[in-house]
Amino acid sequence: MFLLFRALVLVLGVIVDRVFGDPHTRFHPVALLGSLISVWGVPARYVQYSHQIQRFFGVFLWILTGFLFTLPYALFEWYSPPILYLIGAPFLFSSCMALSGLLAHARAVSDLEDLEQMQQNAQYLVSRDTRSLTREQALSASYESVSENLTDSVIAPLFYFCLFGLPGIAFYRAANTMDAMLGYCDERRDLGWCAARADDVLSYIPARITGFLLIMYFWCIGRGKQALAVYHADRQKRPGYNGGIPISLMAGGVGVQFEKPGVYVIGIKERTLDQAKDNISRAVVITTLLFILCAVSILLLFQMVHVQCMM
């Protein structure tokens, strides 16, 4: 019955996320994870070592951090009674995916009129310097983050939960958080080398699932050709193997232009991001629902096959 339970927790966990959102407390599991990473993820602690030794520390501490964060989720998955599992697992699940938090962070930028406050709030979502951004550029930073994190914060966690249960979603969240904090080409390059490479690998398949679902959605609303045109033209402008897929498809599908000043422009501007922000949020929610529908169907199908094989 474990696949049936997994399907139930998948649905209940998303409901918990939508009802309760992302609690802002330092005792949230991911906040505690961030505190742990901030203890060891300080490049200044390792400046006396060679690049190779710094990479060794990065690999070792990446493994250790992933293990420590995943262990409580794994123990709960393996040893909790069925009733306790069905009650507690949706809350543990929701702590590792962030659909509501993602949309809330975007609204915290787009709902403002004061440009300086928009710039400050956008800084929470992206690594670029937001102090000189125009309103459209601040909105671009915000909704680029939403588009990319449709993979990182929603589809990929759901994907690894479907495959491996609570340990899968927890380990992915640990890996993605380490990449978010350390995976940059600055003084963190060597310490965060493992975090960046591992996140590329772990997000590779989920990013392409996200892209396929976005294409399905945009095709259904008559924007499939535009989404694919921007995907083919602009996806490689975004550094990395994965981020350019959802960003380019979202830009083409809703008809907006994402811009990182001095670095890239993705999409053709048919309307402003103020006009399109609700369409982007709708695309994120519907893509998530499409994944859940497909995942639950597959889990239940495998459960039925398993039951038939046992008879």
Side-chain angles (χ1 to χ4, degrees), residues 130-146:
T130 61
R131 290 173 295 181
S132 61
L133 298 183
T134 65
R135 177 179 178 84
E136 187 73 1
Q137 289 169 343
L139 287 172
S140 177
S142 174
Y143 282 101
E144 279 178 67
S145 178
V146 167

Side-chain angles (χ1 to χ4, degrees), residues 66-253:
F67 172 77
L68 290 175
F69 185 74
T70 303
L71 183 61
Y73 290 80
L75 293 175
F76 188 86
E77 172 99 358
W78 297 335
Y79 298 112
S80 60
I83 295 300
L84 180 61
Y85 179 80
L86 285 176
I87 295 172
F91 289 91
L92 292 173
F93 171 98
S94 69
S95 71
C96 291
M97 62 90 66
L99 176 60
S100 293
L102 182 63
L103 298 176
H105 282 303
R107 289 194 301 270
V109 176
S110 63
D111 290 350
L112 294 172
E113 296 296 333
D114 181 73
L115 178 58
E116 184 176 350
Q117 189 62 53
M118 286 183 66
Q119 294 167 343
Q120 292 175 3
N121 287 4
Q123 190 67 75
Y124 294 117
L125 292 168
V126 293
S127 59
R128 72 194 66 166
D129 186 355
T130 61
R131 290 173 295 181
S132 61
L133 298 183
T134 65
R135 177 179 178 84
E136 187 73 1
Q137 289 169 343
L139 287 172
S140 177
S142 174
Y143 282 101
E144 279 178 67
S145 178
V146 167
S147 302
E148 183 175 10
N149 277 287
L150 174 57
T151 296
D152 295 345
S153 296
V154 183
I155 301 300
L158 299 183
F159 174 76
Y160 283 105
F161 175 78
C162 290
L163 289 181
F164 305 113
L166 291 177
I169 194 173
F171 188 82
Y172 177 81
R173 176 49 54 217
N176 184 251
T177 303
M178 285 186 276
D179 173 63
M181 295 180 68
L182 300 172
Y184 297 94
C185 295
D186 52 22
E187 68 276 5
R188 295 167 287 187
R189 176 192 293 269
D190 293 312
L191 193 61
W193 174 83
C194 176
R197 300 288 80 75
D199 185 73
D200 286 342
V201 172
L202 290 172
S203 299
Y204 189 87
I205 294 175
R208 282 145 186 82
I209 293 173
T210 303
F212 176 73
L213 294 173
L214 282 170
I215 291 170
M216 286 180 58
Y217 168 66
F218 287 128
W219 208 272
C220 287
I221 65 171
R223 294 285 305 181
K225 291 183 179 180
Q226 293 89 335
L228 284 171
V230 174
Y231 168 79
H232 288 301
D234 293 344
R235 74 181 186 279
Q236 293 183 342
K237 293 180 180 179
R238 176 65 166 76
Y241 298 102
N242 305 314
I245 296 173
I247 290 174
S248 61
L249 287 169
M250 190 70 77

Side-chain angles (χ1 to χ4, degrees), residues 284-301:
V284 167
V285 172
I286 292 177
T287 300
T288 303
L289 292 176
L290 283 173
F291 180 87
I292 293 169
L293 178 62
C294 294
V296 168
S297 300
I298 293 170
L299 288 171
L300 293 179
L301 176 62

Side-chain angles (χ1 to χ4, degrees), residues 270-281:
E270 300 175 35
R271 50 182 170 166
T272 68
L273 281 158
D274 266 318
Q275 295 169 326
K277 59 187 180 183
D278 290 339
N279 300 85
I280 295 174
S281 298

